[in-house]
Amino acid sequence: MFEDFNAKIEQAAIVPVVKVSVIEDALSVAKALCSGGLGAIEITFRTTEGEEGYSKISECIKAVRDSFPDMLVGAGTVINASLAAKAVAAGAQFIVSPGFNPNTVDFCLEKSVPMYPGVCNPSQIEAALEKNLSLLKFFPAEECGGLKMIKTLSGPFPTVKFMATGGINEQNAASYLACPSIAAVGGSWMVKESFIKSKDWQAIASLSESAAKIIKLM
């Protein structure tokens, strides 16, 4: 399922995971990522401000989607169907969750929105396959055994590909992307909160350019 969009994720290869709640900052981050050569962004619903915080993040998703039509714009940390609904309403093209929540998955399937639930064990992968999902987020990647675990899981699940997230950085991204079972990696090393707080868009652009070079070597 979602084969066409899965191919776009695989082509993007690196999905920057961004925590942002101010529209101007979100647009600046997206511009820096694009200028560095990265074509995707995952804006996360990470906030302690409740509904007000979720609304701000939704506005960021919408602003980036409207201003960067050629960019793959997704929503991350979507932990329930309610957040999935907010993300879809904001224009998110894909949904990423840290775990496997059947209600969230079912909502996205009903809306025909590409969904990449988090998995880290065989039971969760089997649950995803029951929903006809074959590209899954492997999270938290490094803490759950990294490439060794992914290669082990690929034995019984040869048709599954993973978007590895959690502990991925400039030093190990290439190793992950070289694995046939990896479609893409997610990471925040080029979009650290400190960069956004200090509005150091050049740092984001420079690290994005370095990340894009990793993709070109694959």
Side-chain angles (χ1 to χ4, degrees):
M1 187 170 288
F2 305 128
E3 285 82 3
D4 290 345
F5 199 86
N6 292 351
K8 292 181 180 180
I9 291 289
E10 192 159 3
Q11 183 176 12
I14 294 177
V15 181
V17 179
V18 182
K19 180 182 178 183
V20 65
S21 59
V22 178
I23 290 176
E24 291 76 11
D25 289 349
L27 293 174
S28 294
V29 169
K31 181 179 180 180
L33 292 173
C34 289
S35 68
L38 298 181
I41 185 172
E42 176 190 325
I43 298 176
T44 62
F45 277 104
R46 296 180 185 178
T47 180
T48 57
E49 297 180 14
E51 288 300 318
E52 182 180 354
Y54 293 141
S55 293
K56 291 178 181 178
I57 294 166
S58 295
E59 290 171 359
C60 289
I61 293 171
K62 184 180 187 306
V64 173
R65 183 77 179 95
D66 290 344
S67 299
F68 297 87
D70 295 330
M71 196 175 201
L72 300 183
V73 182
T77 319
V78 179
I79 59 175
N80 54 51
S82 176
L83 283 180
K86 294 180 189 299
V88 172
Q93 294 169 282
F94 64 98
I95 304 295
V96 184
S97 62
F100 188 93
N101 182 330
N103 292 331
T104 308
V105 172
D106 288 343
F107 173 86
C108 292
L109 294 179
E110 289 170 7
K111 297 296 182 180
S112 297
V113 177
M115 167 68 183
Y116 305 106
V119 301
C120 64
N121 62 51
S123 295
Q124 292 169 334
I125 294 173
E126 288 184 12
L129 288 173
E130 281 291 307
K131 302 291 185 179
N132 293 316
L133 299 176
S134 59
L135 174 52
L136 310 172
K137 175 178 178 176
F138 183 71
F139 177 82
E142 283 289 279
E143 290 80 357
C144 288
L147 277 172
K148 184 177 180 180
M149 182 62 164
I150 287 171
K151 290 176 181 177
T152 298
L153 290 171
S154 295
F157 305 110
T159 63
V160 172
K161 284 199 170 185
F162 298 98
M163 182 194 306
T165 309
I168 310 300
N169 53 49
E170 193 171 8
Q171 285 68 48
N172 61 17
S175 296
Y176 274 90
L177 290 172
C179 175
S181 298
I182 297 292
V185 297
S188 58
W189 75 89
M190 78 293 288
V191 286
K192 294 178 182 177
E193 284 188 61
S194 59
F195 295 156
I196 297 172
K197 186 176 181 179
S198 64
K199 301 188 186 302
D200 192 349
W201 315 127
Q202 184 54 52
I204 294 174
S206 296
L207 287 170
S208 297
E209 186 174 355
S210 296
K213 290 179 181 177
I214 295 173
I215 300 172
K216 291 177 181 178
L217 292 174
M218 294 297 105

